[in-house]
Amino acid sequence: MYVLSLYFQDPAGFGMSAFEAGVATLPAAAAMIAITPLITPLAVKIGTRMAIAGGFGLAAAGFAALAFVESSWSYAVFVLPLVLVSAGLGLANGPASSASTAVVAEEQVGQASGISNMARYVGGSLWVAAIATIYNGVIKDRTEAGDTPADALAAGLARGSVFLAICAGAGIALVLLMARHKQPQQRAVDRAAAAAVTTHTIPIRPRPTASATTEASSPGTT
């Protein structure tokens, strides 16, 4: 979204204003909103692992389409890849967060959810830096090689999209690699943690031990 916003606003691209570029990314937001109610039922039906892999697959398809961007493309050509990327990442995010809490003890769900959030934010920051480096580097190299500003801009976006498609493919490979491990049965608290992943973590009260339960039921014993 970062480099697409730059592309849309660049005079060699579409020359949009900041407001127009924001409006141009609305299909991505709409796709995220539309798929949100479907994530949990779909994950329950096909399994968390397949939901994550399917989400990364959709995102990879969207990035792969953007890898063929040319300076002659109109805005309409960007809409479908935008929808695929947004819907795919939205589909993968919730089940992935749910899986991260399903593998820990109940009293550690809060910590696991917090680590999952931290990894997502740190990873997002690093990937923005990586994609911006590729985008700007390719544009500079192509401009110095004699390409027109429009062609150089499109080449930067295309090369960055290839990188992100590879990253999404690596996500699929990681999910398939984890298929060798037994998938834990998700609990209600895991689904709650996934639903709240974008806003906060969920503190969980530790379950009483068997001895504590016995003492509570028999206060006269020592």
Side-chain angles (χ1 to χ4, degrees):
M1 301 307 298
Y2 172 69
V3 293
L4 277 176
S5 178
L6 296 178
Y7 185 92
F8 290 161
Q9 295 179 69
D10 197 294
F14 295 130
M16 296 179 177
S17 66
F19 175 77
E20 290 171 336
V23 173
T25 61
L26 283 180
M32 184 74 73
I33 294 172
I35 200 171
T36 296
L38 307 176
I39 294 175
T40 298
L42 184 61
V44 170
K45 183 176 181 179
I46 67 175
T48 300
R49 187 180 296 113
M50 293 306 299
I52 298 172
F56 276 127
L58 287 175
F63 289 131
L66 290 174
F68 295 96
V69 63
E70 296 181 357
S71 58
S72 60
W73 278 21
S74 66
Y75 166 73
V77 185
F78 285 85
V79 174
L80 181 57
L82 269 173
V83 170
L84 288 176
V85 169
S86 181
L89 295 181
L91 175 59
N93 187 51
S97 299
S98 178
S100 70
T101 61
V103 295
V104 299
E106 194 168 303
E107 63 271 15
Q108 295 176 326
V109 170
Q111 295 99 308
S113 180
I115 292 172
S116 176
N117 281 339
M118 180 187 69
R120 189 175 71 256
Y121 293 134
V122 172
S125 299
L126 293 175
W127 255 233
V128 167
I131 193 69
T133 300
I134 295 172
Y135 180 75
N136 292 324
V138 172
I139 291 175
K140 180 181 178 181
D141 291 343
R142 288 300 185 93
T143 300
E144 292 176 350
D147 286 5
T148 65
D151 288 340
L153 193 69
L157 180 59
R159 191 69 59 84
S161 299
V162 169
F163 170 73
L164 291 178
I166 293 173
C167 292
I172 300 174
L174 179 60
V175 171
L176 296 179
L177 179 65
M178 292 177 62
R180 296 185 301 175
H181 302 281
K182 179 176 174 60
Q183 185 174 357
Q185 185 66 34
Q186 291 188 4
R187 303 156 295 182
V189 68
D190 302 320
R191 290 188 286 272
V197 69
T198 59
T199 55
H200 55 75
T201 58
I202 300 178
I204 299 298
R205 186 184 302 277
R207 290 180 295 182
T209 62
S211 59
T213 304
T214 303
E215 292 176 2
S217 61
S218 305
T221 60
T222 57

